[in-house]
Amino acid sequence: MRSIDERAQKKLNAQAPAIPDLGKRVLDLFRPYSGRLVVTGVLVIVAAALAVIPALVIERIFDDALFPASGAPDIALLVELVLLMVGLFVASAGLGVLQTWL
């Protein structure tokens, strides 16, 4: 069934008129928003980087704060790392709101 639909769609695509300078026209439409697009792209990259950090912090929580080589949990370090996790969550949520706003 899918091959029939695909052939029909290719036939319809072949009948579509050629639009000269289509790429340039599309870029011209986005030109007024180029600054916002760049900022949004940077925010996406920063948010992706922030998404990796919690896994590394959780590793430190288990290895260094809860079950260190000394045997006794380091509560002060645990509190710091948990606050860091909360801060990362808030920063990530703020970036999401900013991305949506842009």
Side-chain angles (χ1 to χ4, degrees):
M1 196 69 179
R2 184 176 183 280
S3 63
I4 296 171
D5 294 339
E6 189 175 338
R7 274 188 257 133
Q9 187 61 51
K10 284 183 178 184
K11 187 177 179 181
L12 285 173
N13 290 349
Q15 295 172 355
I19 301 172
D21 299 326
L22 179 62
K24 182 184 178 310
R25 290 174 61 188
V26 170
L27 288 176
D28 287 342
L29 289 172
F30 282 100
R31 188 162 287 120
Y33 307 101
S34 62
R36 286 184 179 185
L37 288 171
V38 168
V39 170
T40 301
V42 169
L43 289 176
V44 167
I45 292 170
V46 170
L50 280 178
V52 173
I53 297 173
L56 301 173
V57 174
I58 289 172
E59 179 184 15
R60 289 227 29 228
I61 286 173
F62 280 99
D63 291 345
D64 299 337
L66 291 175
F67 307 109
S70 66
D74 186 349
I75 301 301
L77 179 60
L78 179 62
V79 169
E80 279 183 38
L81 294 174
V82 168
L83 289 175
L84 177 62
M85 290 283 291
V86 170
L88 287 170
F89 172 75
V90 170
S92 179
L95 284 175
V97 168
L98 188 57
Q99 284 176 0
T100 302
W101 181 71
L102 285 174

